[in-house]
Amino acid sequence: MLQKLRKLFRSQAATPRANAALEQAIALLQERTQRQESFQPRIIQLETRSRCTGHCSFCLASVGRDPRPDLLMSETLFDKILGELVQWKFVNRLSLYNNNEPLMDKRITDWLRRARKALPLAYLELKSNGTILSMDKIIDLFDAGLDMLYINDYRDAEAFAKGEHRPNVARILKELEASRRFKGHFERNHHFRRVIVSLRKQEEHLNTRAGSSPNRDPLPAPLNLPCLRPFEQLAINPAGLVTLCCDDLLFQEPLGDLNQQTLPEIWLSSPYDRLRLALLEGQRGVRSTCSQCDYRGYSHEMLAELGV
């Protein structure tokens, strides 16, 4: 099988070194699954409210287009998830967002504080479009225990061409520049920033987002390309459904329900392992969402953490 995967990945990787790393990763993950080795997800995307303030043409979750009900996670379910992560001794990335604007949930700062207290070694992150963000809110979030904040400021074509952030994000940038707290340690001629602000095009054409992207045509057929994502990520919606990754925006093919199961039970289940092996072999037709996905199949961060 490795010969087949070597050929499939070669068109996706930029260098021979990257090709070799991918091949090593595939072999390691095959072995891990066959041994039924216990491991944690690297990234848990936890969505507490299924709403966004964005108007992005590439995203089905944008204002006026989102078909999802406005769900709000119950406090009971959030506490259950936190308790299971504590028992699991979770030390990886807990992202309190998925396909939403996390600041639309008024409880997010308090819940972040509770997550920090429960999981002192986990990496807590948020991603916002910046539309309802202020410097005071940023300080509150970091005081509550946030490790990293990403602000994707999506602007129309004219504003993007001029390099113009929305006014409140421009103010935030000025205040960030005046504060050493968010610049961090000076290394190799740049500061590590705990807040990363990116100016983005509202009309971007990104990947197919498992077939849900409004400005992308459907794939004519599933790609014959391996995917390592089921070894690194899972997503949870406000109702407690668990799916393979963030691209299954509508949670069409859940792998479990946290109202009835625990996170480790779902993550380490036989159905999950069967899916992992199928996607490792490039069988993207195994699920309807995967069959419409054009994600390249790996992240450089995962390869680095695997030591390849």
Side-chain angles (χ1 to χ4, degrees):
M1 186 186 77
L2 282 179
Q3 284 296 114
K4 173 187 174 185
L5 298 179
R6 185 176 292 115
K7 181 178 178 181
L8 290 170
F9 267 129
R10 187 158 287 129
S11 62
Q12 300 291 312
T15 65
R17 182 177 179 181
N19 284 321
L22 289 166
E23 291 170 16
Q24 290 177 55
I26 290 168
L28 285 170
L29 295 173
Q30 272 190 302
E31 185 180 347
R32 170 186 287 177
T33 306
Q34 290 163 356
R35 290 200 313 259
Q36 296 185 315
E37 178 182 323
S38 179
F39 67 106
Q40 295 181 353
R42 291 180 49 256
I43 309 166
I44 294 177
Q45 309 258 139
L46 178 60
E47 185 174 282
T48 64
R49 183 180 178 186
S50 55
R51 272 295 171 270
C52 190
T53 59
H55 293 79
C56 303
S57 61
F58 58 81
C59 185
L60 189 61
S62 61
V63 174
R65 188 182 280 130
D66 195 343
R68 304 173 299 175
D70 186 359
L71 298 176
L72 198 65
M73 181 172 284
S74 72
E75 188 169 359
T76 300
L77 179 57
F78 182 75
D79 286 342
K80 176 182 182 291
I81 293 169
L82 269 191
E84 290 170 5
L85 291 175
V86 170
Q87 291 296 315
W88 212 3
K89 298 181 180 178
F90 186 74
V91 295
N92 290 328
R93 290 166 57 186
L94 178 60
S95 308
L96 293 177
Y97 66 89
N98 190 34
N99 289 294
N100 68 325
E101 170 49 57
L103 299 181
M104 289 191 74
D105 188 341
K106 306 291 187 187
R107 310 163 300 176
I108 199 68
T109 304
D110 179 57
W111 284 19
L112 180 63
R113 184 176 292 107
R114 289 158 67 176
R116 175 81 293 154
K117 183 177 180 180
L119 303 167
L121 296 180
Y123 186 75
L124 305 181
E125 58 184 6
L126 282 179
K127 184 175 287 185
S128 170
N129 60 30
T131 54
I132 53 176
L133 191 60
S134 67
M135 194 64 201
D136 286 343
K137 186 63 177 178
I138 289 174
I139 292 170
D140 287 344
L141 292 168
F142 278 93
D143 285 349
L146 188 66
D147 290 303
M148 192 70 192
L149 173 64
Y150 303 90
I151 304 172
N152 285 333
D153 185 12
Y154 290 99
R155 303 287 278 147
D156 63 28
E158 182 180 357
F160 181 83
K162 294 178 180 177
E164 289 181 355
H165 286 279
R166 65 185 68 248
N168 67 308
V169 175
R171 287 193 297 272
I172 287 169
L173 277 168
K174 287 183 179 179
E175 293 183 79
L176 287 172
E177 286 298 327
S179 168
R180 184 57 190 258
R181 177 181 184 183
F182 300 102
K183 291 180 180 177
H185 181 65
F186 188 80
E187 182 180 356
R188 294 185 183 177
N189 301 318
H190 70 275
H191 290 286
F192 170 75
R193 298 180 184 275
R194 300 175 68 197
V195 182
I196 295 178
V197 183
S198 302
L199 184 64
R200 302 280 297 273
K201 290 176 67 174
Q202 197 166 263
E203 301 84 6
E204 274 187 287
H205 286 73
L206 302 178
N207 64 23
T208 61
R209 300 174 71 84
S212 71
S213 179
N215 67 0
R216 285 290 307 273
D217 292 329
L219 296 179
L223 298 180
N224 187 17
L225 187 70
C227 183
L228 311 189
R229 189 168 267 179
F231 291 89
E232 67 171 346
Q233 183 189 114
L234 61 78
I236 305 168
N237 79 350
L241 297 181
V242 175
T243 194
L244 176 65
C245 76
C246 58
D247 281 337
D248 186 2
L249 183 146
L250 299 178
F251 284 72
Q252 296 178 79
E253 298 175 296
L255 287 161
D257 183 345
L258 288 170
N259 296 287
Q260 302 173 21
Q261 301 161 277
T262 67
L263 264 175
E265 284 173 352
I266 297 169
W267 177 252
L268 299 171
S269 65
S270 295
Y272 222 125
D273 276 347
R274 286 195 295 271
L275 179 60
R276 287 184 178 109
L277 288 173
L279 288 175
L280 206 56
E281 294 175 355
Q283 298 175 19
R284 294 203 177 190
V286 71
R287 285 161 62 91
S288 63
T289 46
C290 297
S291 71
Q292 281 297 310
C293 182
D294 61 354
Y295 172 62
R296 67 182 179 182
Y298 67 95
S299 69
H300 291 291
E301 182 181 344
M302 184 180 185
L303 298 181
E305 291 192 5
L306 284 170
V308 298

